[in-house]
Amino acid sequence: MKYEAERTQLSTYLSGMGLKHTKQRDVILTIFLDSDDHVSAEDLYQRVRKKSPSIGYTTVYRTLKLFVDAGLAQEHRFDDGLTRYENEHAHHDHLVCLDCGKIIEFNSELIEDAQEKVAVEYGFKVLHHRHELYGRCSDCENKSQ
Amino acid sequence: MKYEAERTQLSTYLSGMGLKHTKQRDVILTIFLDSDDHVSAEDLYQRVRKKSPSIGYTTVYRTLKLFVDAGLAQEHRFDDGLTRYENEHAHHDHLVCLDCGKIIEFNSELIEDAQEKVAVEYGFKVLHHRHELYGRCSDCENKSQ
DNA sequence: TTCGGTGCAAAAGATTTGCATATGT
DNA sequence: ACATATGCAAATCTTTTGCACCGAA
């Protein structure tokens, strides 16, 4: 079964907190895991209602918060003013091409290490971070020359 | 006179765009430049009304947008859901405390270098970037233990 | 005098909460 | 049976807009 790890993680969290495992939570989890990286509550609600029209917006909203608490999702606020939820999978950062809009994921041990040094310097405990490089990808750079 | 450069920049922008130089804009600019780095419209309004109670929230709000257009301020949305405006100065990144909301600025040559390595690796030309570390500041970390 | 600016009130957009009912344990 | 979950409606919170009056150029 797909998403076994996530289901287990949620179940563990639910029983550990004396919370219930409901049909709604199951449906929402499945659709959330199948969605693009950054869904808003509204996005997800629209997808959920196609599959289960009886599920309300509030439940989707509260379930996303639950996922955050359970460590399955991260909340992010972007410049369009919407709160989006990101499926917490292997950490990565982004290169965003301002010409073609392409988004490239990257990972850099060097950056993570340097970041940790900064955190230590300020006595700051980092829980998560966001790092985005905006510019021109190689394709667009070549095209414009 | 303090803030001469900023005043000139604003005046130039205003006349260039056929806009007017008003008392309100002057008051708001002065207080904005004297404020901490990351003020929300509400923050600034509270300070402004102490000095000039007749100035409305809407004017503060619209004036901040004006500052952004004039290149005097940058709009920034952090993950706490508020829009904040920062006086546009030398580049820096942010540490954001998820408990108390404090925002600390930092600069790291190490990170900038590591970032450049990533860019080269992907043939990416970086024009600007955004790097935020979310977590707990030393004060909150100590408090909770 | 003319056109942008201001301030109020109200709209809009998104998130959050209260409450009666439904449901998992 | 009991405590949590759900779904609706309504409240909040923040950002934005409409409009009549004001004021700088």
Side-chain angles (χ1 to χ4, degrees):
Chain A
M1 187 177 188
K2 228 175 148 188
Y3 309 131
E4 193 52 52
E6 287 84 354
R7 267 166 222 290
T8 303
Q9 186 173 340
L10 182 59
S11 286
T12 303
Y13 179 78
L14 292 176
S15 46
M17 302 288 283
L19 305 177
K20 293 169 184 174
H21 188 196
T22 64
K23 296 185 214 74
Q24 288 93 333
R25 287 174 177 172
D26 214 50
V27 169
I28 296 171
L29 177 63
T30 301
I31 296 179
F32 176 65
L33 293 174
D34 257 330
S35 299
D36 299 332
D37 239 10
H38 300 96
V39 280
S40 64
E42 181 64 30
D43 279 346
L44 194 57
Y45 170 60
Q46 292 305 334
R47 292 174 206 210
V48 164
R49 73 197 304 234
K50 275 186 201 145
K51 189 166 187 176
S52 305
S54 63
I55 296 180
Y57 176 86
T58 308
T59 301
V60 171
Y61 166 78
R62 283 195 272 228
T63 302
L64 279 170
K65 296 281 188 195
L66 181 74
F67 290 170
V68 172
D69 291 341
L72 282 164
Q74 273 188 349
E75 230 182 46
H76 268 293
R77 255 143 174 148
F78 289 87
D79 283 347
D80 61 0
L82 270 180
T83 299
R84 293 171 192 280
Y85 296 83
E86 165 172 36
N87 181 345
E88 180 141 328
H89 56 288
H91 169 73
H92 60 264
D93 291 305
H94 301 281
L95 292 158
V96 182
C97 180
L98 295 172
D99 280 2
C100 69
K102 191 188 314 172
I103 296 178
I104 304 166
E105 298 186 352
F106 74 89
N107 262 296
S108 163
E109 268 303 318
L110 266 179
I111 291 180
E112 309 281 327
D113 291 350
Q115 189 174 281
E116 191 47 36
K117 282 205 181 67
V118 170
V120 168
E121 183 182 332
Y122 287 90
F124 199 90
K125 182 180 175 62
V126 177
L127 297 175
H128 62 94
H129 73 267
R130 171 210 286 224
H131 194 172
E132 289 148 16
L133 309 187
Y134 296 89
R136 246 191 320 271
C137 71
S138 52
D139 292 350
C140 293
E141 187 67 2
N142 294 332
K143 217 175 297 166
S144 70
Q145 281 176 0
Chain B
M1 185 178 189
K2 227 175 147 187
Y3 311 131
E4 193 52 50
E6 287 83 353
R7 268 165 222 292
T8 302
Q9 187 174 342
L10 182 59
S11 286
T12 303
Y13 179 80
L14 291 175
S15 44
M17 302 288 285
L19 304 177
K20 293 169 183 172
H21 188 198
T22 64
K23 297 184 213 75
Q24 289 92 333
R25 286 175 179 172
D26 215 51
V27 169
I28 296 171
L29 177 62
T30 300
I31 296 180
F32 175 65
L33 294 174
D34 256 331
S35 298
D36 298 334
D37 240 11
H38 305 92
V39 280
S40 64
E42 181 63 30
D43 279 346
L44 194 55
Y45 171 59
Q46 291 306 334
R47 293 175 205 209
V48 164
R49 72 196 306 234
K50 275 186 203 149
K51 189 166 186 176
S52 306
S54 63
I55 297 180
Y57 175 87
T58 309
T59 301
V60 172
Y61 166 79
R62 283 195 273 230
T63 302
L64 280 168
K65 297 282 188 195
L66 181 75
F67 291 170
V68 171
D69 293 340
L72 282 164
Q74 272 187 348
E75 226 183 50
H76 222 98
R77 256 162 173 135
F78 292 94
D79 280 347
D80 67 356
L82 269 180
T83 300
R84 294 171 194 280
Y85 296 82
E86 89 182 297
N87 183 344
E88 178 139 329
H89 56 285
H91 168 72
H92 58 263
D93 292 306
H94 299 104
L95 292 158
V96 182
C97 180
L98 296 173
D99 279 2
C100 69
K102 191 189 312 173
I103 298 174
I104 303 165
E105 300 184 353
F106 74 89
N107 261 295
S108 163
E109 268 304 316
L110 266 178
I111 291 181
E112 308 282 328
D113 291 350
Q115 189 174 282
E116 191 47 36
K117 283 207 179 67
V118 170
V120 167
E121 185 183 331
Y122 287 90
F124 198 90
K125 182 180 174 60
V126 176
L127 298 176
H128 63 93
H129 73 267
R130 164 179 199 167
H131 194 172
E132 288 149 19
L133 310 187
Y134 293 89
R136 244 190 321 269
C137 72
S138 53
D139 291 350
C140 293
E141 188 67 3
N142 294 331
K143 217 175 298 166
S144 70
Q145 280 175 1

